[in-house]
Each structure stands twice: as structure tokens, then as C-alpha cells.
């Protein structure tokens, strides 16, 4: 009798495991373009004040780009047709009326990986209030999902530059399509050709005393990146002679007319300074956005600088910059 009960128990457990595995397989893979959000809302809400509130959050211009580009590209879907393949987008914002005012965030509801944010309210104004009060949370939730997705995509073909770990004691994941442009004992510069331009990544080490944490930290970071630009990133006209016989100096600097954004974050469990802005070449007409992270590595008594920047005239730059941010946020310091 004991043996029979034991066998029945095993069969029950096996059946539950199979059922669980079967259910997991039924959830389709998420899809959709990077930085796109599906908005599930009735047409009248989308065309009215509720839609305006949503657009004011999700379509606001990204700071740090030379031209205005929306944070996300949105596509509105009425609830009556929200079924089948249209439910598979990685990021979904649902608006539900005649329900208690609030916001809920769920994972893998219709596909995986997926983030579904549900905003509800009994009145239109309730929904508008929730959207505006939680704007930063909504953006952060969707951006983190997109960064994770870009990291997943890039992990399929990772570079093989072992010297980064050997020289700097860190790892960072970026696609093998990036080629080395410059390498020293404490500096790496990688480059990838993109549509009408190129994307760049640089990684470097600074002595601990090179940067002081005070009210001028951001300006110190700008000064350091400008000195690196002057040393390594020369323009096409650098060292040529103009019509008056003067030697031209052309190198990368931070554009003075565009005030850099700065903030403090945690990266690889370490405090870091985040700086976004626009770069340009002196005595030339090239420029573009950059994103810089300067990480405090107390254990090794140093700072690690990681920066991505692009030159891509006449094309949108949002997704290129997201890729660079995803690369930088993969960093692991020994």
C-alpha cells in the first residue's frame, strides 16, 4: 500500500511539472521594434485628454540628442481588437475605465519577456492624474525592458577582446561588429559603422585623485572627456593648413551651447556619474550625442570611464544611443 501511495505521489508531481512546463511553452515570445509601446485604449480616450497625458509622458523628447526625438514610438490599439499577435509587444500600456484609480505593473502577461502597465480610474481625470504622477516610473519600467532586450540581442555575437579584462580588470559586452580603433594600457576605443555614420565606445581608467566629488564634479568630467577627445579623436582637417597658411587643429570637445544633463546612479553596485550631452569637432561641422558614465571603483582606488557617442547625420539617433547605454550597463568590474 505504501508503495502504491508513493507511486501515485510521483505521478501527481510529474503531472504538475508537465502541466507547468506546458503552460510555460504556451506563452509566445515577445516581439516588436526597440522603443515601441502598444497603448491599449478606446479611440475616444486616445484622441482626447487621456491620450494627451500619455503622449506628454511617453513621447516627450529625449534629452541629449541634437534633434527632438520621442522617448517611445507609440501605437494605439482599441481593446476590442487587442488579441492575437498584437498582444506580443514587449511593452504594453493598458487604460481601464470604471475601475478603482491606480497603477499595476505585471510581467509576461501575453508574451515573454514583457512588461504590462495597467492604469485605471473611474473618471478620465483619475487616469490623467495617475499617468502624470507616475510618469518617471512608467518610462523607467519600459526603458529597462528595452535595455534588457537590446542586451539579449547583442549577447548572440559578443566580442572576443580579452585584453579589456587583462588590462582594466573588467568585462563589458558589445557585439563583435565593433572593431578596435585604439588601445593602450588604460584606454580602449571601439568603432562600428552605421547608417550614414559611425558609433563609438571608449573605456578608460583614471587615478582616484583625478576626480573630486563636489559641486564641480560634472565640469571635471567634461574637462576630462575633452582632454581625451583632444588626444585621440581628431577631425578630418586636423593638422592641415588653411588659405592663410595657419595650421588647423580639429578635435572632439563638448559643445558649449548645449548644457549637459548630469545625475548619479548605481552601476555594477557602484556609485557612478551619468552625463549626457552633445559633442562637436573644433574647426569642423561634425557632431552628435554622447553618454558618459564615470564609475567610482573604491576597491581598486580608481575611476572607470565608459562613454558612447555617435556621428549619424540625417538619421534618428535614439536607438543607437540606447544600444550604447545597454552596452555600458553590462559592465562588471573585478
Amino acid at each position: 500500500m505504501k508503495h502504491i501511495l508513493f507511486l501515485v505521489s510521483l505521478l501527481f508531481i510529474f503531472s504538475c511539472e508537465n502541466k507547468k512546463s506546458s503552460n510555460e511553452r504556451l506563452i509566445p515570445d515577445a516581439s516588436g521594434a526597440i522603443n515601441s509601446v502598444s497603448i491599449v485604449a478606446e479611440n475616444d480616450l486616445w484622441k482626447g485628454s487621456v491620450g494627451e497625458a500619455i503622449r506628454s509622458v511617453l513621447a516627450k523628447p529625449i534629452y541629449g540628442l541634437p534633434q527632438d526625438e520621442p522617448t517611445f514610438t507609440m501605437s494605439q490599439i482599441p481593446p476590442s481588437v487587442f488579441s492575437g499577435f498584437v498582444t506580443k509587444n514587449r511593452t504594453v500600456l493598458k487604460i481601464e475605465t470604471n475601475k478603482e484609480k491606480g497603477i499595476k505593473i505585471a510581467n509576461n502577461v501575453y508574451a515573454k519577456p514583457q512588461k504590462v502597465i495597467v492604469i485605471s480610474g473611474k473618471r478620465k481625470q483619475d487616469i490623467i492624474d495617475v499617468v502624470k504622477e507616475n510618469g518617471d516610473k512608467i518610462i523607467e519600467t519600459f526603458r529597462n525592458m528595452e535595455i534588457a532586450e537590446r542586451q539579449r540581442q547583442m549577447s548572440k555575437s559578443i566580442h572576443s577582446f580579452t585584453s579589456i579584462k587583462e588590462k582594466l580588470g573588467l568585462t563589458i559586452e558589445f557585439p563583435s561588429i565593433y572593431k578596435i580603433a585604439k588601445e593602450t594600457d588604460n584606454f580602449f576605443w571601439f568603432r562600428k559603422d552605421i547608417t550614414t555614420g559611425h558609433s563609438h565606445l571608449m573605456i578608460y581608467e583614471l587615478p582616484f585623485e583625478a576626480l573630486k566629488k563636489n559641486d564641480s564634479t560634472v565640469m571635471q568630467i567634461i574637462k576630462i572627456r575633452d582632454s581625451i577627445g583632444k588626444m585621440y579623436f581628431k577631425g578630418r582637417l586636423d593638422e592641415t593648413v588653411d588659405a592663410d597658411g595657419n595650421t588647423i587643429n580639429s578635435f572632439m570637445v563638448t559643445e558649449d551651447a548645449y548644457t549637459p544633463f548630469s545625475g548619479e546612479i548605481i552601476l555594477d553596485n557602484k556609485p557612478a556619474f551619468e552625463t549626457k550631452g552633445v559633442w562637436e569637432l573644433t574647426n569642423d561641422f561634425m557632431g552628435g550625442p554622447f553618454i558618459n558614465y564615470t564609475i567610482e571603483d573604491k576597491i581598486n582606488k580608481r575611476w572607470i570611464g565608459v562613454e558612447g557617442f555617435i556621428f549619424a547625420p540625417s538619421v534618428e539617433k535614439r536607438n543607437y544611443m540606447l544600444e550604447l547605454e545597454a552596452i555600458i550597463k553590462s559592465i562588471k568590474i573585478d
Side-chain angles (χ1 to χ4, degrees), residues 315-326:
V315 300
E316 293 185 342
K317 302 164 182 61
R318 177 188 67 183
N319 291 355
Y320 291 128
M321 293 305 294
L322 181 99
E323 175 178 294
L324 289 170
E325 184 176 346

Side-chain angles (χ1 to χ4, degrees), residues 160-292:
S160 57
F161 296 107
T162 57
S163 56
I164 299 175
K165 183 173 179 61
E166 293 167 358
K167 292 183 176 181
L168 295 181
L170 61 87
T171 60
I172 186 169
E173 296 189 348
F174 55 86
S176 57
I177 194 172
Y178 281 82
K179 306 302 180 184
I180 189 74
K182 181 71 176 180
E183 176 180 350
T184 69
D185 286 341
N186 62 358
F187 177 86
F188 289 85
W189 166 24
F190 301 95
R191 169 178 165 151
K192 178 184 80 168
D193 290 334
I194 59 176
T195 304
T196 74
H198 26 86
S199 178
H200 301 262
L201 175 72
M202 62 180 182
I203 314 163
Y204 52 90
E205 181 183 63
L206 298 170
F208 206 56
E209 61 273 13
L211 190 64
K212 305 296 183 185
K213 296 176 70 174
N214 53 38
D215 293 341
S216 69
T217 302
V218 176
M219 297 310 300
Q220 295 175 57
I221 291 172
I222 295 300
K223 186 175 181 180
I224 290 169
R225 76 169 306 275
D226 285 351
S227 67
I228 292 172
K230 186 175 183 179
M231 185 180 301
Y232 294 115
F233 302 100
K234 304 292 187 177
R236 297 165 294 183
L237 302 177
D238 190 59
E239 296 186 353
T240 60
V241 178
D242 64 17
D244 297 323
N246 300 313
T247 300
I248 298 173
N249 293 314
S250 182
F251 50 86
M252 184 174 72
V253 296
T254 305
E255 186 177 322
D256 290 334
Y258 196 101
T259 304
F261 163 86
S262 62
E264 297 183 37
I265 68 166
I266 299 297
L267 195 55
D268 188 33
N269 296 317
K270 298 172 180 62
F273 292 96
E274 178 187 53
T275 309
K276 297 179 181 180
V278 175
W279 63 273
E280 64 179 350
L281 288 178
T282 60
N283 299 310
D284 205 337
F285 298 99
M286 292 177 66
F290 74 85
I291 182 169
N292 178 290

Side-chain angles (χ1 to χ4, degrees), residues 21 34 63 72 83 87 104 260 291 294 303 310 328 331:
S21 299
I34 288 291
Y63 194 89
F72 297 103
S83 61
T87 65
K104 296 179 181 178
I291 182 169
T294 305
W303 295 88
I310 64 170
I328 294 170
I331 194 168

